[in-house]
Amino acid sequence: MQMPNSSNENETSGSSVALQNRDNMSAGTVSLERELASTRRLLWGDHVKEDVFRRWAQGFHFSPDEPSALIQQEGGPCAAIAPVQGFLLKILLSETGCVFLILGQCLATKYNVAVYRKNDTEGQTSSGLNVSAEELSCDAIDHFHRRIEVHTFKAITEVEAFYTRNIRILKDKYGVLLLLYSVILSKGVEAVEMELSELSDPLIHSTYGYGSQGLINLMLTGRAVAHVWDHEQVVGGLRLRGIENQNDIGFLTIMEHMQYCTVGSFYKNPKHPVWVLASETHLTVLFSFERRLAAPETAGESAERIFRSFDPEGNNFIPSAALQDVLCAADLVSEPEYVELMRRKLDSENLGIILLSAFMDEFFPGSERGAPDTFTLHHYNGLSRSNPGGRVVYRTGRAALLECPMRAATTDPMLTCLQTKWPSIDVVWDEGQSPSLN
C-alpha cells in the first residue's frame, strides 16, 4: 500500500452508490443499505461504545522514523493495522500489492469500496483528527455510517486504480475502518457470518475494542474462520473450521504456549517470512529477509514439532503411553502391536519415558532443518508507547537455533511466543532487551 501524493485525491470512479435521498432509493441501493447495516452489527454488535469507536477512527499513517512502518494511535485497531503491515512487509520481500491483496483474497464477484463522504465545510488536518460541527452535535458512530458511500468495481485492478487516485481515503481519519468495511462488503456479510457460524459475538469486542480471531483471520486469509489450526477439527461433536491453505503471511500467538489454542502448520509456515504475533491484547509483526525461514517443514521438523506438542514442559521426553498418539499425529504407523514393539525399543530400561533424541534417531535418522542455524529477525510494534523513546521503528534481533530447547527456562513473552514455532530459538535483540508484544 503505497501512499503517493496525487493532485486527483478527491476524484471518484466506479458505480457510486450514495446512501442518502431515501425517497428515491433504487432496489439496489436499499439492498446495499441493508448490507451496510448488517456490517455494522457484525463488527460492533447492537451497542457501540463511543470510546471503542473513537480508538478505531484513524487513518493509515507511516512513522517519521521508519518510512514503511504504520503508526497505531491507540489500542484496538491492531486487528486491521497489523495484517496490513504484514502485507506491506510482504511487498518489501516480493514486490507485490497490499490492500489489493487483502481485498482480492476474499474471492469476491465484485468489490465494494467504502468511502467517507465529507461535508463541504468539514476540515481535516494531515493527522486526520479534526471533526466537523455535525459530528460533534450527534453520535459519532451514526454520523460515520450516514456518510458512507460505496463504490462498486468488477475487477481488483479497478480497485487498485481507484485507491491510487484517491489515496486520501486510506490516509484520512476513518481509513482503517473504511478498509475493514470494504473487506466485509466485498466478501458479503452472509459469507462472513457463515464462516463464523459457531460464534455470535461481534468481530470487535464491545468493551475492550480488540479484534476477534475471526476478524484477524479474515484480514490475513480472506476467510473469517474462528480457529488457527489446519483444516477442520471435531471438538465436542462440533466440526470447527480452521485455516485451509498455506497462507502468504503467518500467525503465531503466545496463547499457544498457554495451551489455549493450537496454531497449525499453514500459519506457522507461510509463503513469506512474515508473521503476525499475538499477545493476550495486541498484535505485532515479525519478519525476516531470510527466505529459508518460509520453506515448508521437512518431515523431520514436522515430527519433532508434533513430539514437542506432547511435551509442553520442554523436557525433551514424553510419557511412553503417549507414543501411539504421537505416531498417529505424525502419520506414522500406529497399529497397537507396532506401537508396543517401538515402546519397548525406545524405552528399553522401562523408565516410562521416551526421549526426543531416541524418537528422531529411530524414525528420522539424519534429518536436517529447513531453516538455517542463525538468522536475523525484525519486529514491528505500531504503538509509540511500546517502543523505546516512543519511536515506531523496526527492532532487530540475531537469532540462533540451539541444540536444546530453552522453553522451560524463559519467562520472556517474545521468546515464549517464538518458541511455539522454533522450540530451540534464542534471540539477542538490539538495545539489550526484547521488543514488547503489547
Side-chain angles (χ1 to χ4, degrees):
M1 182 183 67
Q2 296 178 337
M3 297 293 190
N5 293 323
S6 172
S7 59
N8 299 323
E9 286 182 335
N10 294 320
E11 181 182 346
T12 58
S13 63
S15 303
S16 176
V17 183
L19 301 184
Q20 55 182 335
N21 301 324
R22 293 174 181 271
D23 293 339
N24 300 315
M25 281 185 180
S26 66
T29 305
V30 172
S31 174
L32 190 53
E33 186 175 57
R34 289 173 179 166
E35 189 86 347
L36 187 56
S38 297
T39 299
R40 174 176 174 167
R41 284 194 301 273
L42 181 65
L43 280 171
W44 307 100
D46 294 328
H47 304 286
V48 190
K49 289 179 62 178
E50 287 278 351
D51 177 63
V52 168
F53 180 81
R54 178 184 58 79
R55 285 188 274 129
W56 277 79
Q58 74 155 85
F60 289 99
H61 300 286
F62 290 105
S63 168
D65 302 302
E66 193 77 73
S68 60
L70 293 168
I71 293 177
Q72 181 180 334
Q73 294 169 352
E74 298 190 59
C78 56
I81 294 175
V84 170
Q85 181 68 54
F87 278 98
L88 277 170
L89 293 167
K90 176 183 176 294
I91 292 173
L92 297 178
L93 299 175
S94 62
E95 299 181 355
T96 56
C98 173
V99 166
F100 325 118
L101 279 178
I102 291 176
L103 283 169
Q105 66 187 359
C106 293
L107 302 178
T109 57
K110 61 181 179 180
Y111 298 96
N112 292 318
V113 175
V115 175
Y116 177 73
R117 178 175 48 84
K118 291 188 281 190
N119 287 330
D120 293 338
T121 58
E122 186 171 349
Q124 201 136 12
T125 66
S126 60
S127 63
L129 298 179
N130 284 7
V131 294
S132 65
E134 178 184 354
E135 188 173 358
L136 289 172
S137 64
C138 68
D139 184 291
I141 301 152
D142 289 337
H143 169 85
F144 169 71
H145 286 91
R146 280 201 302 271
R147 304 200 66 82
I148 288 181
E149 295 178 353
V150 177
H151 301 260
T152 302
F153 304 92
K154 293 182 179 179
I156 198 65
T157 53
E158 297 176 7
V159 176
E160 181 176 0
F162 175 79
Y163 273 130
T164 300
R165 291 191 301 269
N166 300 279
I167 199 64
R168 296 300 314 182
I169 291 169
L170 296 174
K171 296 176 71 174
D172 280 347
K173 178 179 180 181
Y174 297 112
V176 171
L177 283 174
L178 291 172
L179 174 61
L180 195 53
Y181 276 64
S182 298
V183 170
I184 294 175
L185 290 169
S186 295
K187 184 175 179 68
V189 175
E190 289 187 4
V192 175
E193 289 177 334
M194 184 172 63
E195 290 171 352
L196 290 167
S197 57
E198 68 266 22
L199 298 179
S200 59
D201 293 333
L203 293 177
I204 296 174
H205 195 282
S206 58
T207 300
Y208 302 109
Y210 53 72
S212 69
Q213 189 63 55
L215 177 55
I216 297 167
N217 289 343
L218 175 62
M219 295 296 290
L220 288 177
T221 72
R223 299 179 69 246
V225 296
H227 306 286
V228 293
W229 50 57
D230 293 346
H231 302 303
E232 295 182 346
Q233 289 193 16
V234 177
V235 180
L238 297 175
R239 189 173 296 277
L240 305 180
R241 286 175 290 186
I243 308 304
E244 283 299 317
N245 301 289
Q246 184 188 27
N247 201 48
D248 280 340
I249 292 173
F251 178 83
L252 305 174
T253 174
I254 199 170
M255 305 302 285
E256 182 172 24
H257 171 79
M258 300 175 182
Q259 301 184 40
Y260 287 115
C261 67
T262 298
V263 180
S265 179
F266 289 145
Y267 256 163
K268 285 184 175 174
N269 301 282
K271 296 177 183 177
H272 302 273
V274 182
W275 294 265
V276 169
L277 305 183
S279 70
E280 300 94 324
T281 59
H282 187 44
L283 298 177
T284 59
V285 182
L286 180 83
F287 68 102
S288 177
F289 292 95
E290 175 51 76
R291 298 292 307 176
R292 287 179 292 173
L293 295 180
E297 282 184 311
T298 64
E301 286 175 326
S302 176
E304 181 176 344
R305 173 176 53 81
I306 291 169
F307 186 99
R308 292 188 188 281
S309 71
F310 289 84
D311 175 26
E313 301 300 323
N315 295 319
N316 283 337
F317 62 79
I318 59 170
S320 297
L323 179 60
Q324 183 170 25
D325 292 333
V326 171
L327 294 175
C328 183
D331 288 329
L332 298 171
V333 177
S334 57
E335 297 299 323
E337 296 81 2
Y338 177 76
V339 172
E340 183 58 31
L341 176 66
M342 286 294 101
R343 184 182 290 119
R344 289 198 299 267
K345 181 177 182 180
L346 297 176
D347 182 17
S348 58
E349 297 182 18
N350 201 27
L351 299 176
I353 62 171
I354 294 174
L355 297 176
L356 171 61
S357 57
F359 175 85
M360 295 300 295
D361 288 344
E362 176 65 30
F363 295 102
F364 300 93
S367 176
E368 296 183 358
R369 292 171 173 163
D373 291 333
T374 61
F375 47 90
T376 300
L377 294 173
H378 306 278
H379 182 257
Y380 155 87
N381 189 327
L383 288 170
S384 297
R385 64 174 181 264
S386 300
N387 287 269
R391 298 169 60 246
V392 175
V393 296
Y394 301 135
R395 297 283 305 281
T396 299
R398 284 150 295 283
L401 301 182
L402 308 178
E403 289 297 325
C404 298
M406 299 181 59
R407 180 177 297 170
T410 182
T411 58
D412 178 355
M414 170 62 75
L415 199 56
T416 297
C417 184
L418 299 186
Q419 286 174 352
T420 62
K421 172 172 171 57
W422 299 287
S424 63
I425 194 171
D426 189 27
V427 188
V428 177
W429 294 93
D430 57 11
E431 301 191 24
Q433 60 181 8
S434 293
S436 173
L437 288 179
N438 294 310

